[in-house]
Amino acid sequence: MSKGKAIRMDEKELEKAREYIKSLRNPNCKEDDVFFQAMEEVLLSIAPLYLSDPKYQANAIVQRLVVPDRIFKFKVEWLDRNNKIQVNTGYRVQFNNALGPYKGGLRFHPTVNEGVLKFLGFEQILKNALTGLPIGGAKGGSDFDPKGKTDFEVMSFCSAFMRELHKYIGPRIDVPAGDIGVGAREIGYLFGEYKKITSAYEGVLTGKPFFFGGSLMRPEATGYGVVYFTEKMLEIENKEPLKEKVCTVSGSGNVALHAIEKLYQLGALPVTCSDSKGTVYDPRGVDLELLKELKFVKRVSLQEYSKKHPEAKYIPVSDYPKGGHAAWHIPCYAAFPCATQNELTETDAKALVKNGCVSVTEGANMPSTPEAIHYFQKSGICFGPAKAANAGGVAVSALEMSQNAQMMRWSFEKVDAELKTIMEHICTNVAQTAEEYGVKGNYVDGANIAGFKRVADAMIAEGI
Ligand code: NDP
């Protein structure tokens, strides 16, 4: 195709594409809503590539890419603190391994179901492709809720979960990592059980604590990576860097916390964080040490933040703006949604733009609704989509796999430098791809096209 010229679908082709996507779904399965939301975004945005090169249609790449290779669904029976048997459901969606072993996190949260994991697994294929590393796409988890559970209960659940999961994973087959509700503690218990069952001490999980094979920098990687990506995006788009700029962040988990940490390191001022119950707005900057203590040591609600800082504002969910999230209504230069999917709506997008926000970068997976993304793009602000911007975590996971395979340990500085290079490379690649396919400045299309192309070309080369 001629460079710089977008091939857009005409109305007839768009209708055909939508009909095709509709034909894939069972209308009674509400669980799949979020999966189809992600799929539709990708399929419509890869049109400039798909329509310009007949080999993708000839090899039925779309039809093959949107169906997972396999889905495992299993029962997890475990003992609670009162020796009572509890039952949950576990899943592993192995989506695509054209580029390498299946790779993607495990999520433990009551909202987990097959549809959510299909959405996350599908996104993971393209995200992993964007890193340039040899990793395929997968996702897994359970509807188990670690909140309020004792350490013993979390261990009991993780052991039971692994008694099933171990049948499907391996260092060259499928290498899970953490996600919401699965941090170093859970990965430790999962790894311990895997080792007991198989007697193999191998890199079957990433995100392990450092003292038994984890990579330095893995906990920091996603949050740091989001900020590295943003700095590069601002540079490419000729905008001022983050230094001395007010930033808003949602979430208070692994991704949010490390995004906040990196923002401070760059001299920016992150003024918000949130959890599922409410948002903290601290105009002097979020107290990072307190945040770590509340969320990672005490594991309590952010409401506690005000006890130490009564001058900071705590906004409970019940007081959020109608149809929106409190964090996005506070004026900022750059916004970082880092909690969960669909947490930034069109109402929020309008408030951000109105208040002078210049850039939005997604730390969480699909935190912005399609309407919000559309509004950002229409308004011309820089928008870094999750599958490119939050790929730092999986990239360092892949570096952990390399270190495990070589029985080597890399220094914090080495991993951090690799991460920065990878994130800048992803950002540049996405920006250049967007320009090449006639959608300059559109990082959503750029990321979808660049990721899709790498996976699709491998699928074609590997045959059926
Ligand atoms: P954590 O479990 O560490 O933290 C999740 C945060 O989001 C918590 O503050 C939690 O609040 C909040 N949250 C969760 N569900 C909801 C909800 N339904 N409504 C409002 N707030 C909610 O997860 P991570 O930080 O690891 O992950 C955050 C996001 O980043 C997810 O979308 C994840 O898929 C994505 N991601 C994570 C990566 C990683 O390396 N960890 C890699 C790439 C993407 P509370 O404390 O009240 O539960």
Side-chain angles (χ1 to χ4, degrees):
M1 70 172 279
S2 59
K3 286 199 174 177
K5 187 166 180 306
I7 297 190
R8 281 278 146 224
M9 284 193 270
D10 60 31
E11 266 315 308
K12 234 167 103 192
E13 283 168 325
L14 255 176
E15 200 40 47
K16 226 171 106 189
R18 291 213 174 92
E19 278 303 309
Y20 173 68
I21 296 167
K22 225 160 103 192
S23 74
L24 295 171
R25 73 182 298 182
N26 168 0
N28 299 322
C29 184
K30 288 299 286 173
E31 279 187 6
D32 271 351
D33 281 1
V34 74
F35 172 50
F36 280 92
Q37 180 185 331
M39 193 206 291
E40 186 162 315
E41 178 214 287
V42 170
L43 297 191
L44 299 184
S45 85
I46 57 168
L49 172 67
Y50 205 72
L51 296 176
S52 68
D53 194 334
K55 75 178 179 207
Y56 297 116
Q57 289 187 60
N59 284 277
I61 292 299
V62 163
Q63 290 90 325
R64 291 163 60 198
L65 191 67
V66 298
V67 180
D69 289 350
R70 61 196 70 81
I71 300 178
F72 300 106
K73 181 173 179 182
F74 46 88
K75 183 171 63 171
V76 187
E77 300 167 319
W78 56 282
L79 280 182
D80 70 13
R81 66 190 97 166
N82 301 314
N83 267 338
K84 269 186 72 179
I85 298 171
Q86 301 290 339
V87 183
N88 285 93
T89 305
Y91 306 87
R92 186 69 181 165
V93 179
Q94 293 182 338
F95 225 118
N96 184 294
N97 65 352
L99 291 174
Y102 299 105
K103 181 100 199 81
L106 296 172
R107 178 176 289 192
F108 292 168
H109 195 272
T111 56
V112 163
N113 58 42
E114 203 171 298
V116 167
L117 296 176
K118 271 159 60 184
F119 137 60
L120 292 165
F122 181 68
E123 290 282 295
Q124 196 80 43
I125 306 170
L126 302 183
K127 178 187 310 194
N128 293 1
L130 284 172
T131 65
L133 299 165
I135 38 180
K139 202 80 189 187
S142 171
D143 55 0
F144 169 76
D145 187 359
K147 245 185 240 165
K149 303 287 189 301
T150 62
D151 264 1
F152 168 80
E153 287 174 318
V154 171
M155 182 171 64
S156 166
F157 176 80
C158 288
S159 301
F161 184 83
M162 185 51 88
R163 281 199 289 278
E164 274 302 315
L165 184 71
H166 84 273
K167 299 169 192 166
Y168 318 120
I169 60 176
R172 286 169 194 272
I173 299 169
D174 182 354
V175 185
D179 189 70
I180 291 180
V182 180
R185 172 182 65 166
E186 290 75 16
I187 293 289
Y189 293 147
L190 290 163
F191 183 74
E193 186 66 24
Y194 179 88
K195 195 165 58 72
K196 270 180 223 116
I197 297 168
T198 62
S199 299
Y201 202 106
E202 54 191 7
V204 70
L205 288 157
T206 57
K208 298 182 288 294
F210 175 68
F211 60 92
F212 62 85
S215 174
L216 284 172
M217 269 287 301
R218 175 59 188 89
E220 292 85 353
T222 307
Y224 280 21
V226 169
V227 178
Y228 288 144
F229 183 95
T230 308
E231 279 286 77
K232 190 70 195 172
M233 179 168 70
L234 291 169
E235 182 193 313
I236 294 172
E237 301 301 324
N238 295 315
K239 301 280 193 287
E240 286 179 32
L242 293 164
K243 191 162 187 234
E244 291 173 5
K245 297 288 191 294
V246 170
C247 299
T248 49
V249 178
S250 68
S252 51
N254 177 280
V255 179
L257 195 128
H258 292 108
I260 290 173
E261 187 165 273
K262 183 50 75 180
L263 285 169
Y264 274 128
Q265 287 172 13
L266 295 183
L269 185 69
V271 294
T272 63
C273 59
S274 69
D275 64 14
S276 50
K277 305 245 165 33
T279 295
V280 162
Y281 171 40
D282 193 336
R284 299 155 317 155
V286 168
D287 180 340
L288 187 58
E289 286 318 306
L290 177 61
L291 189 60
K292 285 183 184 174
E293 188 190 322
L294 295 179
K295 284 298 176 183
F296 286 83
V297 183
K298 296 188 176 159
R299 297 177 191 265
V300 293
S301 150
L302 276 179
Q303 206 164 358
E304 301 282 311
Y305 189 97
S306 334
K307 283 192 183 155
K308 186 158 175 209
H309 294 296
E311 63 290 352
K313 195 166 169 198
Y314 177 73
I315 310 156
V317 171
S318 54
D319 291 352
Y320 280 10
K322 194 161 180 279
H325 188 301
W328 316 132
H329 294 252
I330 287 157
C332 68
Y333 180 76
F336 297 87
C338 295
T340 191
Q341 62 260 22
N342 292 327
E343 57 162 329
L344 195 162
T345 63
E346 190 179 16
T347 309
D348 298 323
K350 285 181 176 163
L352 280 165
V353 173
K354 185 166 153 254
N355 287 331
C357 175
V358 163
S359 115
V360 176
T361 316
E362 297 187 319
N365 282 315
M366 214 168 73
S368 318
T369 62
E371 297 76 26
I373 297 174
H374 184 69
Y375 193 81
F376 288 140
Q377 291 175 331
K378 215 171 64 185
S379 312
I381 74 168
C382 303
F383 177 74
K387 69 172 69 71
N390 74 16
V394 75
V396 171
S397 274
L399 302 182
E400 183 174 328
M401 287 163 74
S402 302
Q403 294 172 71
N404 291 164
Q406 297 166 37
M407 307 280 268
M408 292 276 289
R409 287 257 155 112
W410 296 355
S411 68
F412 190 95
E413 291 69 27
K414 178 173 164 69
V415 184
D416 193 20
E418 291 272 350
L419 171 69
K420 189 159 187 275
T421 306
I422 291 171
M423 294 314 297
E424 290 179 352
H425 175 76
I426 292 175
C427 190
T428 308
N429 181 21
V430 165
Q432 282 172 351
T433 305
E435 187 164 0
E436 185 178 341
Y437 286 89
V439 282
K440 190 169 186 294
N442 184 335
Y443 286 65
V444 175
D445 287 357
N448 285 331
I449 295 170
F452 174 85
K453 190 170 182 332
R454 189 163 173 242
V455 181
D457 290 348
M459 286 170 74
I460 293 169
E462 290 168 16
I464 52 170

